[in-house]
Amino acid sequence: LTVNALYYDAGKFEVFDHVHGLHDLEKRSVCIIGDPQQRYTEDPVRMLRVVRFAAKLDFGIDQQTAAAIPYCAHLLEEIPAARLFDEFLKLFLTGYAARTLDKLLECDLLRYLFPDTHVCMQQDEKALALVQAAMGNTDQRIAQDKPVTPAFILAALLWPVVSKQFHLLEGNGEAPMVAMHTAAQSAIADVMRHISIPRRFSQPMREIWEFQLRLQRRSGRKAAE
């Protein structure tokens, strides 16, 4: 990126700019070096990097840099799931998760990380609002120097998928806990075709979803109070 390609000479106190990086900084614009389509073809993860820097800096995205993304976005399907998990951590655990989510939706890239979530959020405004709220809460915790686990972020991103599947199974006569277990297994298995999720995170995700079910079904005078 041009804004990340400035060189400082500590001896002469000079900044060397060979790719109009200063100009893009002044414009508050993220611009990729060279031909965007060629750069994305060389390494499709660069599209995620564009989004990450734009969200972190609260910058816009250069017109040509953005215009090439729809033509190259499908190349993310060729990236190993383990590498995309590493990119997920960079995208959502740096304190700018809410803006990152907005940028991923704006550039239509979320579908290549969490395809089922993308569909749910397109179809249900409540699902979109819930995930946005979770990302905002995550950013607040990081700003307050409080711990944040990837398991919570993943659980929030996949909750619309799990919830939808759970209600379908329950409607077909499955017992609630059995339906939740099946829905969780299905959601995790599906997303792991795109992003590798270590077991140390997938197990807490299941627990979060099961606790959600218990909270929704609380009963009794003490619970109501």
Side-chain angles (χ1 to χ4, degrees):
L1 304 178
T2 61
V3 295
N4 202 34
L6 300 171
Y7 297 88
Y8 179 66
D9 187 330
K12 297 182 179 180
F13 304 103
E14 293 180 347
V15 174
F16 293 90
D17 177 14
H18 303 290
V19 288
H20 56 79
L22 287 174
H23 175 69
D24 290 331
L25 276 175
E26 293 174 355
K27 287 175 56 182
R28 300 179 61 83
S29 176
V30 173
C31 178
I32 203 160
I33 298 171
D35 177 72
Q37 194 161 340
Q38 179 182 343
R39 293 290 179 257
Y40 298 152
T41 302
E42 292 169 350
D43 184 2
V45 168
R46 286 172 177 159
M47 290 180 281
L48 299 179
R49 195 160 185 256
V50 165
V51 166
R52 178 158 57 89
F53 269 75
K56 180 178 181 179
L57 300 172
D58 197 15
F59 279 15
I61 300 176
D62 169 75
Q63 184 176 357
Q64 291 184 340
T65 298
I69 290 178
Y71 298 98
C72 301
H74 68 280
L75 297 174
L76 286 170
E77 296 174 340
E78 303 173 6
I79 302 301
R83 188 181 180 197
L84 284 185
F85 178 75
D86 290 338
E87 292 301 319
F88 155 78
L89 295 177
K90 296 175 185 177
L91 286 165
F92 288 97
L93 278 173
T94 55
Y96 309 96
R99 288 208 299 258
T100 295
L101 178 66
D102 290 342
K103 291 290 184 182
L104 287 171
L105 290 170
E106 179 184 328
C107 295
D108 202 23
L109 290 175
L110 188 70
R111 68 170 69 238
Y112 298 99
L113 302 176
F114 301 94
D116 293 335
T117 298
H118 171 82
V119 171
C120 286
M121 290 168 63
Q122 290 288 316
Q123 296 175 346
D124 185 354
E125 291 183 0
K126 291 182 179 179
L128 173 60
L130 183 147
V131 176
Q132 287 176 326
M135 297 305 105
N137 178 267
T138 297
D139 293 339
Q140 289 178 10
R141 290 186 62 85
I142 292 175
Q144 296 167 4
D145 202 26
K146 294 180 179 179
V148 175
T149 171
F152 169 77
I153 301 175
L154 287 163
L157 283 165
L158 290 177
W159 175 246
V161 180
V162 173
S163 180
K164 181 179 179 180
Q165 183 66 11
F166 163 76
H167 287 299
L168 286 173
L169 291 169
E170 190 182 37
N172 289 332
E174 291 278 5
M177 288 306 296
V178 174
M180 179 58 70
H181 178 77
T182 303
Q185 288 288 97
S186 176
I188 291 174
D190 287 344
V191 80
M192 283 188 68
R193 294 203 297 263
H194 307 275
I195 293 182
S196 178
I197 301 176
R199 183 174 177 80
R200 67 181 184 275
F201 298 132
S202 63
Q203 185 57 39
M205 289 163 59
R206 294 184 179 93
E207 294 172 358
I208 290 170
W209 293 330
E210 289 175 4
F211 283 134
Q212 181 70 19
L213 177 61
R214 292 172 186 171
L215 286 170
Q216 290 177 343
R217 295 177 181 272
R218 66 187 186 276
S219 60
R221 185 167 59 86
K222 187 174 180 180
E225 292 173 355

